[in-house]
């Protein structure tokens, strides 16, 4: 993910902002695939501790959250535009990206997003991820309504506009790709 310059929101999503969002959705998709490419079953199911997730579980979590965020974006877009609600947004686009990508602070996952083995394989998880990500990219490319006047409520960040929620989607995947790299760097990770 390339860095984004912090700037005030002055109107509808620009062509440059839309291109940025599509780029980060695509690049984080590729990066996730690269992070798990060629891993063995032992590596995919390895846990560095009893309270830690395996790579397979991290992938499942990413898929579940992707579906939840994208569904919430679509729901937010279904409501009438509300420019006045922008006053409730406390974070810039850059702040959203930084907060979500950072591994410095972790929060427990809400129950619907805790991995339980819903997918039969990592391949099935990646297939579901790719389907959802392709839908999110297509939506971002084609959406006509102003993403800046429709909203999404995040459990930790509060109100975001739907453009920021798209950045959140990409950043969440990147956050957990970093977690996968942490698992792979663990001293006990299988060869």
């Amino acid at each position: 993910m390339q860095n984004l310059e912090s700037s005030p929101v002055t109107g509808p999503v620009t062509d440059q902002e839309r291109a940025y969002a599509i780029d980060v959705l695509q690049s984080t998709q590729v990066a996730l695939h690269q992070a798990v490419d060629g891993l063995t079953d032992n590596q995919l199911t390895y846990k560095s501790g009893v309270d830690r997730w395996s790579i397979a579980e991290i992938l499942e979590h990413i898929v579940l959250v992707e579906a939840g965020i994208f569904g919430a974006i679509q729901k937010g877009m279904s409501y009438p535009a509300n420019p006045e609600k922008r006053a409730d947004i406390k974070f810039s686009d850059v702040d959203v990206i930084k907060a979500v990508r950072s591994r410095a602070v972790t929060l427990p996952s809400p129950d619907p997003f805790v991995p339980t083995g819903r997918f039969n394989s990592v391949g099935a998880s990646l297939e579901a991820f790719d389907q959802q990500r392709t839908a999110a990219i297509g939506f971002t490319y084609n959406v006509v309504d102003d993403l800046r006047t429709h909203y999404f409520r995040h459990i930790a960040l509060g109100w975001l506009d739907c453009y920021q929620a798209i950045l959140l989607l990409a950043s969440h995947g990147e956050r957990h790709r970093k977690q996968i790299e942490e698992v792979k760097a663990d001293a006990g990770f299988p060869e």
Side-chain angles (χ1 to χ4, degrees):
M1 283 180 82
Q2 61 180 323
N3 289 326
L4 183 67
E5 293 295 321
S6 184
S7 59
V9 173
T10 57
V13 171
T14 66
D15 290 344
Q16 181 181 1
E17 288 171 328
R18 186 183 306 267
Y20 177 82
I22 291 167
D23 178 63
V24 296
L25 287 167
Q26 291 171 333
S27 64
T28 56
Q29 180 179 16
V30 168
L32 182 63
H33 276 269
Q34 290 171 342
V36 300
D37 186 46
L39 296 180
T40 67
D41 287 342
N42 283 343
Q43 291 170 324
L44 291 166
T45 57
Y46 169 77
K47 292 184 179 191
S48 61
V50 293
D51 62 338
R52 308 300 297 170
W53 288 347
S54 68
I55 292 171
E57 290 170 323
I58 295 167
L59 282 172
E60 180 182 345
H61 170 76
I62 292 169
V63 173
L64 298 173
V65 171
E66 288 261 333
I69 293 172
F70 187 55
I73 291 168
Q74 292 174 307
K75 184 176 181 181
M77 293 301 293
S78 73
Y79 295 116
N82 184 355
E84 293 78 33
K85 190 161 186 62
R86 289 213 53 79
D88 294 340
I89 295 176
K90 305 299 181 211
F91 292 93
S92 71
D93 298 351
V94 172
D95 291 337
V96 170
I97 293 167
K98 286 180 179 179
V100 178
R101 285 194 313 192
S102 172
R103 298 274 308 138
V105 176
T106 60
L107 300 170
S109 181
D111 286 342
F113 306 120
V114 173
T116 61
R118 291 168 182 88
F119 298 100
N120 294 333
S121 68
V122 167
S125 293
L126 285 172
E127 184 178 329
F129 169 76
D130 286 340
Q131 288 175 353
Q132 290 173 183
R133 186 54 71 90
T134 298
I137 291 166
F139 170 84
T140 304
Y141 184 78
N142 292 308
V143 66
V144 176
D145 291 339
D146 183 9
L147 294 163
R148 295 292 193 182
T149 59
H150 296 270
Y151 305 92
F152 167 91
R153 183 153 177 80
H154 186 267
I155 58 171
L157 301 176
W159 286 106
L160 304 175
D161 66 42
C162 283
Y163 178 76
Q164 292 175 321
I166 291 168
L167 299 178
L168 169 80
L169 190 71
S171 298
H172 179 266
E174 175 63 8
R175 172 189 184 84
H176 288 292
R177 185 207 53 83
K178 290 178 181 179
Q179 184 182 11
I180 289 170
E181 295 303 332
E182 291 168 9
V183 172
K184 290 165 53 176
D186 186 78
F189 189 70
E191 292 287 329

